[in-house]
Amino acid sequence: MLNKYTNSAKVFHCPEDYVTPAAFYGDHHLHFICFSGSGSFVCDDTEHHFKKNDLVIMQGDAGCSDLVFSDDFSCVAFAVPRGSFNTVHNSSVWLASGFIQTKRHPVTHLKDDDLDLIMNDFSGIERRMTPTSDYGRQSFYHTFQTLLYDMWNIFDREVSLNGTAGSEDASLCFLKFQDMLKAHCYKERTVEWY
């Protein structure tokens, strides 16, 4: 199963390889860092804008539309086929949390250290794109996991620091539920209690 994803995942640059990453959206989850220019898209009836040094995560099944890129747009992008998160990620709780957070807050500005970190993750994935053995596939798998954890950690931190999640925000509610579950799961097991 992992071969399917390593063979059809792509790290690419725009506009050198593709004019924009838009052609991959829908069949793939898109992760890209804007190097220049700007753009926007709509997700859940909310318009999101991105600019230089913004990290954008567009889940392939999140229903994003109206992708627009400026003429001077450039980026590095990682496109991975839909369905791959279930294979690459070993915890359905954290997978759900990351999905909810990035669907509600798909754009975050990267500070220099975070930019370096994500660029290193992209480079590591690119170097491992064509594994020739089980060891190579596992290396790709774990490098992809590292990228996910790094991105979700940045998004989570920025949402918390900037107060962009309101009290009714689904991602914040889910994170609070996770914390309660971790703290009380041995004693409290009813839906009503939570």
Side-chain angles (χ1 to χ4, degrees):
M1 188 71 150
L2 196 56
N3 265 340
K4 171 184 172 186
Y5 299 121
T6 57
N7 291 339
S8 52
K10 292 187 182 308
V11 175
F12 56 92
H13 293 263
C14 299
E16 296 87 349
D17 302 319
Y18 300 94
V19 176
T20 73
F24 288 90
Y25 181 71
D27 295 332
H28 292 73
H29 302 292
L30 282 175
H31 316 77
F32 63 88
I33 299 170
C34 180
F35 289 152
S36 65
S38 61
S40 64
F41 59 95
V42 174
C43 189
D44 281 344
D45 298 322
T46 301
E47 189 170 20
H48 301 277
H49 298 268
F50 56 86
K51 61 189 181 316
K52 183 178 179 179
N53 291 350
D54 282 349
L55 170 64
V56 181
I57 301 177
M58 298 176 66
Q59 306 292 355
D61 47 5
C64 297
S65 62
D66 302 322
L67 281 71
V68 175
F69 300 89
S70 65
D71 291 341
D72 59 343
F73 173 77
S74 67
C75 77
V76 61
F78 176 49
V80 65
R82 286 174 56 179
S84 58
F85 287 149
N86 297 332
T87 301
V88 172
H89 201 278
N90 60 6
S91 168
S92 59
V93 172
W94 288 108
L95 176 63
S97 174
F99 176 80
I100 290 170
Q101 288 182 70
T102 54
K103 185 174 179 186
R104 295 293 297 254
H105 308 284
V107 179
T108 195
H109 190 72
L110 296 176
K111 297 177 177 73
D112 290 344
D113 288 348
D114 292 335
L115 179 61
D116 290 343
L117 179 67
I118 300 300
M119 287 299 297
N120 284 333
D121 290 342
F122 274 41
S123 295
I125 287 171
E126 191 169 24
R127 286 192 304 272
R128 295 169 174 86
M129 291 298 285
T130 53
T132 56
S133 69
D134 286 337
Y135 295 114
R137 284 185 286 279
Q138 288 303 316
S139 178
F140 175 85
Y141 172 94
H142 290 292
T143 306
F144 186 13
Q145 270 191 329
T146 299
L147 170 66
L148 293 178
Y149 284 123
D150 286 343
M151 289 190 305
W152 291 342
N153 181 50
I154 291 166
F155 271 59
D156 183 46
R157 185 189 67 225
E158 291 302 309
V159 166
S160 298
L161 285 176
N162 297 328
T164 52
S167 61
E168 301 303 315
D169 191 298
S171 59
L172 185 61
C173 289
F174 192 87
L175 290 172
K176 285 182 179 179
F177 170 67
Q178 272 182 236
D179 289 341
M180 288 179 69
L181 194 60
K182 283 187 262 182
H184 304 286
C185 66
Y186 294 108
K187 294 179 185 173
E188 302 296 339
R189 298 189 179 177
T190 65
V191 172
E192 292 78 17
W193 190 90
Y194 289 100

